[in-house]
Amino acid sequence: MSLAAVVRKDFKDVRRAKLLWFVGGIYTLFAVLFFYTGSTGENPRVLRQLWNMSGLAVLFIPLVALVAAYLSIAGERESGSIKFLLSIPNRRRDVVFGKYLSRAGLVTGAILLAFGVAAVLSAVWYPEAKLATFARVVGLTLFYTLAYVSVAVGISALTASRSRAMAGSIGYFFVFNVLWIQGSAFSVVGALRFVFEDTLGVELAANTESLVQSLSPTSAYLQSLRLAFPAGYRDLPPADPSTPFYLEPEFMLVVLAAWVVAPLLVGFWRFQRAELG
């Protein structure tokens, strides 16, 4: 019962957060713009607009999730209200997982609103709605959303103040959305090349570099889109039998699942042992 009580209370507290709905509203506005401008051409195609929304998701979803959840626990600790929240019968695990369920519900609601508007517009303005592809893109995007909410709640559970939670969230975004997914010298892969190839003289295999890059939730999401769109669409490569299993789009779902589970468990483990003063 205490888990449900935490979810209910937290949902009521943050459901009117203006910044959250502002960012989610911008994503919905972009959905309207994509589907409207795409419908005015000679050959309107829903797939092209879904592709655009997927690309935009890697920018907006981390922002929405981090804004919605980075203070979920750290804010309560800094204000001192965590002592009230942990009064009987609420336990620390109820707080961590209750906060996750509440914030995940809010963020997925904002994303579903954007795709719901897009679905209505596609039915009205486009000759073919491509419902199967639409459903797969929405499902993968929500999976990506749950992973990022888990990261935000995990960071919040690890920290005791607003400033540390904010610094952790910004640092995570910069590392995993900027440094991790590119292949330049100023990236994680670039650092591995420097250590192994330039320093140790050991050449890194291309598959190893691709695996390291795919461990970012954003990279895993982008690669998993091959499950939603037809083979060969845009830059999506067709299936290659020689591709190792850990680079297949199905394995990217495992990576995303790990990002849903691991940050929450690490955050809970640290919060369970934290001194709350």
Side-chain angles (χ1 to χ4, degrees), residues 18 31 48 52 68 80-81 125 146 168 192 211 223 237-238 260:
K18 294 180 181 178
R48 185 180 306 159
N52 292 335
S81 60
W125 288 337
L146 294 178
L192 288 176
L211 174 62
Q223 294 185 53
V260 172

Side-chain angles (χ1 to χ4, degrees), residues 42 44 61 71 78 83 98 108-109 149 152 154 157 163-164 197 199 205 208-209 214 234 244 256 262 272:
E42 294 182 355
I61 286 178
L71 281 179
E78 186 172 82
K83 296 177 182 177
T108 54
V149 174
S163 58
R164 291 179 182 176
E197 297 182 357
T199 304
T208 303
E209 293 185 3
S214 69
R234 291 296 182 101
L256 285 175
Q272 187 79 345

Side-chain angles (χ1 to χ4, degrees), residues 192-193 195-206 208-209:
L192 288 176
R193 287 181 189 145
V195 172
F196 284 92
E197 297 182 357
D198 298 345
T199 304
L200 302 177
V202 179
E203 185 176 358
L204 281 176
T208 303
E209 293 185 3

Side-chain angles (χ1 to χ4, degrees), residues 32 43 54 73 77 121 157 183 202 206-207 210 230 241 252 256-257 263 276-277:
V32 174
N43 184 24
S54 302
I73 297 173
R77 291 180 67 178
L121 298 181
V202 179
N207 285 341
S210 298
M252 298 302 110
L256 285 175
L276 301 180

Side-chain angles (χ1 to χ4, degrees), residues 15-131:
R15 62 183 175 177
R16 293 189 178 90
K18 294 180 181 178
L19 186 57
L20 168 64
W21 291 110
F22 174 73
V23 179
I26 291 179
Y27 191 55
T28 304
L29 178 61
F30 269 102
V32 174
L33 290 175
F34 283 148
F35 278 81
Y36 172 72
T37 56
S39 68
T40 57
E42 294 182 355
N43 184 24
R45 298 181 62 188
V46 171
L47 291 185
R48 185 180 306 159
Q49 313 319 319
L50 286 174
W51 180 268
N52 292 335
M53 287 193 69
S54 302
L56 198 63
V58 302
L59 173 63
F60 271 88
I61 286 178
L63 289 177
V64 174
L66 292 174
V67 166
Y70 85 99
L71 281 179
S72 57
I73 297 173
E76 302 254 15
R77 291 180 67 178
E78 186 172 82
S79 67
S81 60
I82 193 71
K83 296 177 182 177
F84 171 76
L85 190 61
L86 285 172
S87 59
I88 296 175
N90 296 338
R91 296 159 294 185
R92 296 195 184 198
R93 69 182 182 188
D94 299 323
V95 172
V96 174
F97 296 109
K99 291 282 187 179
Y100 174 73
L101 292 175
S102 170
R103 306 300 168 112
L106 278 170
V107 178
T108 54
I111 302 303
L112 281 174
L113 173 63
F115 276 101
V117 171
V120 172
L121 298 181
S122 66
V124 174
W125 288 337
Y126 289 77
E128 191 175 7
K130 297 287 185 182
L131 292 179

